[in-house]
Amino acid sequence: MSDVPPSAARLRRTVQAQPGEDLRSVVVRYARIKRISVEMLLRFGLQVDANSLASVPLRRYQLETFADLAGLELQKLANDAFAEGKNGFELFGQDAGLDVIEPHRRRVAPGMLKSDGIPWIRAHWQVACLPCDPDTGECFVQICPTCQK
């Protein structure tokens, strides 16, 4: 018998994180697959303010809760996310200054998203000094021209 409440048990194991995928992107895709709003997932699944999506990678307990809820490997999620570090942020397991990441600003490469099939946001797109995607050279935008988000 599982020690997971029935409401949480039905939310398990439905999303596969892409290598290097931003944790917030995984959260959004997971909510879509489960046919719940991101706000509901944040409020009832992660037990945080429904407007806290930008802070999910910054709080370790939220990362642990989401990994458990979705049945994902915690260390893999942690390696691909950014979190609070000693001198600012920890990015891909390395210390980085406060000015390296812009966590409350979403930067995307629309052409990359279109080519994905199922769009997903790369964690390295949030590195402030990168003006474009290092793989394709596509410039970042803050609002997706397709979905306007």
Side-chain angles (χ1 to χ4, degrees):
M1 187 160 186
S2 175
D3 59 346
V4 177
S7 59
R10 75 176 182 84
L11 297 176
R12 284 192 179 274
R13 296 203 186 267
T14 57
V15 70
Q16 190 67 30
Q18 299 293 330
E21 183 173 8
D22 186 277
L23 179 61
R24 293 165 295 183
S25 176
V26 180
V27 169
V28 169
R29 290 190 314 104
Y30 177 76
R32 282 190 188 137
I33 289 169
K34 291 317 234 168
R35 298 181 182 179
I36 59 174
S37 69
V38 172
E39 292 79 15
M40 285 184 67
L41 175 59
L42 292 173
R43 180 172 287 149
F44 301 111
L46 299 179
Q47 299 176 353
V48 297
D49 179 11
N51 296 316
S52 295
L53 184 60
S55 67
V56 169
L58 301 179
R59 298 184 182 136
R60 180 69 182 192
Y61 76 91
Q62 291 172 331
L63 180 65
E64 291 169 352
T65 301
F66 180 68
D68 184 56
L69 186 65
L72 298 171
E73 185 182 332
L74 174 62
Q75 193 55 50
K76 183 180 180 322
L77 283 178
N79 288 344
D80 288 343
F82 57 88
E84 292 175 332
K86 295 175 189 169
N87 300 315
F89 292 110
E90 185 177 293
L91 176 65
F92 308 121
Q94 302 295 318
D95 279 334
L98 286 172
D99 58 342
V100 174
I101 298 287
E102 297 179 339
H104 301 295
R105 211 174 105 193
R106 172 65 63 225
R107 297 173 358 138
V108 299
M112 292 282 295
L113 293 176
K114 284 181 183 177
S115 69
D116 285 340
I118 298 174
W120 56 279
I121 309 261
R122 281 76 169 163
H124 66 266
W125 287 354
Q126 300 315 115
V127 176
C129 66
L130 295 177
C132 61
D133 179 75
D135 297 323
T136 65
E138 180 180 10
C139 288
F140 295 127
V141 297
Q142 292 182 39
I143 298 174
C144 179
T146 302
C147 68
Q148 299 301 312
K149 292 182 181 181

